[in-house]
Amino acid sequence: MKVLVIGTGAREHALCRSLSLDPDVTALHCAPGNAGIAEVAELHQVDALDGKAVAALAGRLEADLVVVGPEAPLVAGVADAVREAGIPVFGPSGEAAQLEGSKAFAKDVMAEAGVPTARSYVCTTAEEVAEALDAFGAPYVVKDDGLAAGKGVVVTDDLEAAKAHAAGCERVVIEDFLDGPEVSLFAITDGRTVVPLQPAQDFKRALDGDEGPNTGGMGAYSPLPWADPKLVEEVLETVLQPTVDELRRRGTPFSGLLYAGLAITSRGVRVIEFNARFGDPETQVVLARLKTPLAGVLLAAANGTLDDLEPLRWNEDAAVTVVIASHNYPGTPRTGDPITGLDEVAAEDAPHAYVLHAGTKRDGDAIVSAGGRVLSVTATGEDLAEARERAYRAVARVRLDGSQHRTDIAAKAAGAKEAEPAGESAEA
């Protein structure tokens, strides 16, 4: 099988790493990719938002499967263009990807499907915003209706800050605050059959103790020792399958990766949001635990044959990812700084720990930073404590001037088998 992955981040590196280990994958390509992905896949230049260009590249490569990683190309309809070219593609149509592209659309789908979520208002004027904020009270949850690269949500007790965020958006969803720990649950679907993956938890705030601004995600871990063993089954029955069924009923079947961001509240499981693709950094830990070869699963989703698939097999090991971010992230990041120590991790910590690249590029013989989240250091172990220890040992070998990372990823879960701090945050 020849596979083409679209994207540039650590999520795509995690996908490419897993695909490179799949014996059925005879050729692996990525566009545009990054410096780390180049070690496992052949890179190609393409405008990831140009569906015709992506389809043409897939045709030239004679790809048997295209995997679209990021949300923006999916919402732009890139998967539609590849399908129209007759090439199997893992990723929803542009219309179905509105489940992530529009919070208001997602709320409407959930209402029709009977999926439990927070009460909400869709607002387009300052007057509507003021009324909604007054109706719900603090803490205020204000979400940009469109794609916002993981930074479109503000949760605050400051009324003026809530209004200011809303004022910067064309349309916002204002909703009830959801208490309780958060869980990310991915599911692979072909539009009918839904195959859930293992749950993970990520960390949105920039600083230890869930302080600081929201980010795209500073780390993640899996499994969740504190979660109800029946959680996945419950979410499949009450959230994932009803959502897939409702989208098919509407004539916009969802095929690809359905990501449910969940709050485990005092009143039960509630959906915070949906995403239409693998989340970053949760993908890094979930795929680290998947034993079933990945390519066949993604192809079955693309071809509508998930029902014929054997049950997924998982490692019992735990996995932890720690994100190394550049100076000033999540503000305007400093780029172009050299990264060293990657060879040391490969020599000293493999196979239990490895580095997945996000915002990197090659500059001559050097690898330099090229984005906000630069690297995802991922490690596995018999339990979360061992996985954490290995991950942070590898993090300590990496040198990037001015870089930052959280030191408390999975600390509570590893130490006391408790959920991480409560509170709703940004989308992945």
Side-chain angles (χ1 to χ4, degrees), residues 201-215 218-219 388 392 405-412 419-425:
Q201 187 174 61
D202 75 335
F203 295 75
K204 290 298 180 198
R205 299 286 182 175
L207 307 176
D208 285 4
D210 279 346
E211 300 291 330
N214 271 324
T215 72
M218 295 299 290
R388 284 191 82 247
Y392 280 107
H405 65 271
R406 283 184 57 161
T407 66
D408 63 347
I409 303 300
K412 289 195 174 186
E420 299 297 335
E424 184 169 320
S425 57

Side-chain angles (χ1 to χ4, degrees), residues 357-373:
H357 292 230
T360 69
K361 69 177 182 180
R362 187 165 285 283
D363 183 7
D365 292 334
I367 292 176
V368 301
S369 61
R373 291 187 294 175

Side-chain angles (χ1 to χ4, degrees), residues 29 57 74 79 105 125 136 171 175 178 204 207 257 305 312 321 383 412 416 423:
H29 303 271
L57 174 62
L74 290 169
F105 175 80
T125 68
F136 286 131
R171 186 162 78 153
E175 63 180 39
L178 296 174
K204 290 298 180 198
L207 307 176
L257 194 289
T305 57
L312 298 182
T321 283
D383 54 25
K412 289 195 174 186

Side-chain angles (χ1 to χ4, degrees), residues 8-21 28 33-41 217-220 279-289 319-325 339 341-343 345-346 349 351-361 367-370 372-380 391 394-395 398 400:
T8 63
R11 163 187 49 222
E12 286 76 35
H13 194 176
L15 287 163
C16 285
R17 180 182 181 274
S18 291
L19 290 165
S20 73
L21 298 173
L28 182 58
N34 61 40
I37 295 174
E39 297 176 7
V40 295
M218 295 299 290
D280 184 342
E282 301 98 317
T283 301
Q284 289 86 301
V285 292
V286 172
L287 292 185
R289 300 186 56 224
V320 171
T321 283
V322 179
V323 170
I324 298 177
I339 303 164
L342 301 177
D343 291 341
V345 176
D349 301 301
H352 301 298
Y354 48 89
V355 179
L356 298 168
H357 292 230
T360 69
K361 69 177 182 180
I367 292 176
V368 301
S369 61
R373 291 187 294 175
V374 180
L375 303 167
S376 283
V377 179
T378 303
T380 56
V395 166
V398 178
L400 170 62

Side-chain angles (χ1 to χ4, degrees), residues 85-101:
I87 300 168
V89 57
F90 182 81
S93 66
E95 203 171 351
Q98 286 302 311
L99 202 60
E100 175 169 4

Side-chain angles (χ1 to χ4, degrees), residues 30-87:
C30 186
N34 61 40
I37 295 174
E39 297 176 7
V40 295
E42 183 179 343
L43 301 191
H44 305 268
Q45 283 303 311
V46 76
D47 178 356
L49 296 175
D50 185 338
K52 288 184 178 179
V54 171
L57 174 62
R60 288 197 302 273
L61 297 174
E62 298 181 338
D64 301 298
L65 174 67
V66 175
V67 180
V68 183
E71 60 273 23
L74 290 169
V75 172
V78 167
D80 301 88
V82 177
R83 278 194 192 90
E84 286 167 12
I87 300 168

